[in-house]
Amino acid sequence: MDSELTAQTLERAALDLLERDGVLGGLNLREVADRAGVNRGLVYHYFGSRRDLLRSALRRNVRERIAAIRLQDRPARFSSRVRHVLKGGVRYASAFRLAVLLLLDGDTQLRLMPDLPRTQELLRQDQEAGLIDRDVDLVALHTALTSLSTGYVLARSRLAKEFGVGVRELDDRFIGLAERLCSAVDGPAEDPDGPSERTAGPSEESGKG
């Protein structure tokens, strides 16, 4: 097994264990090594520490998530884009949980919005084109999407249990309401597919941009 593949395998094992045991379950490096099928010493060889392993796993997870989202067709209207963002967050929930784990662990190098400059530039271009209302604060908008995605992904399973509804049902209801609320920032530009539709700027990130 080459070095790059070994590192990827260890990162995957760490994410799998976090998914299984939860954040407070801790991350046993010996178990990570066993799950990856490598010697425990290789964890320290490639990453140096538990925090470095988690940080590396997060970076890879976020890169893959952003790349996957970019391959998808994104809705034109900004309010519909929120649906796209939140669904992406649910699909890549492990990245959100890992980011929060590092944040609570005091990681000063963590970036909750790794694609920040690009996303802000795209939003700015769409605002200039009239696709997002001129008076919308783009920093606040981006912050709202990040907070909304992170908070919901972390709490959705527990909230569904307390409400006594299925997680998928809650996803649909929550995302539908979020889309409705965010229609307030849709600009006046018309959707080419229909005269009454308004379009919006492409946020490449699903809450971690």
Side-chain angles (χ1 to χ4, degrees), residues 109-184:
Q109 298 184 40
L110 174 67
R111 296 187 63 189
L112 290 176
M113 299 179 291
D115 213 22
L116 172 60
R118 183 172 186 273
T119 301
Q120 279 287 298
E121 176 59 21
L122 290 171
L123 290 174
R124 185 190 65 77
Q125 291 174 9
D126 285 340
Q127 190 173 50
E128 289 182 351
L131 305 178
I132 298 176
D133 276 350
R134 293 281 184 176
D135 62 350
V136 172
D137 181 333
L138 297 182
V139 171
L141 179 62
H142 199 167
T143 300
L145 286 176
T146 300
S147 302
L148 191 67
S149 299
T150 303
Y152 180 67
V153 169
L154 290 175
R156 60 190 282 268
S157 296
R158 184 61 194 177
L159 290 172
K161 183 175 182 179
E162 292 187 21
F163 279 117
V165 300
V167 177
R168 297 302 181 189
E169 177 188 343
L170 186 61
D171 287 346
D172 290 339
R173 293 168 68 172
F174 175 79
I175 292 172
L177 179 59
E179 183 177 359
R180 182 178 177 185
L181 292 173
C182 289
S183 65

Side-chain angles (χ1 to χ4, degrees), residues 21 27 41-42 58 70 81 83 90 95 100 110 112 122 133 135 140 152 171 178 181 185:
D21 300 332
L27 187 66
L42 289 179
L58 173 60
R70 285 177 181 163
R81 190 70 49 76
R83 174 179 293 274
V90 168
V100 171
L110 174 67
L112 290 176
L122 290 171
D133 276 350
D135 62 350
Y152 180 67
D171 287 346
L181 292 173
V185 306

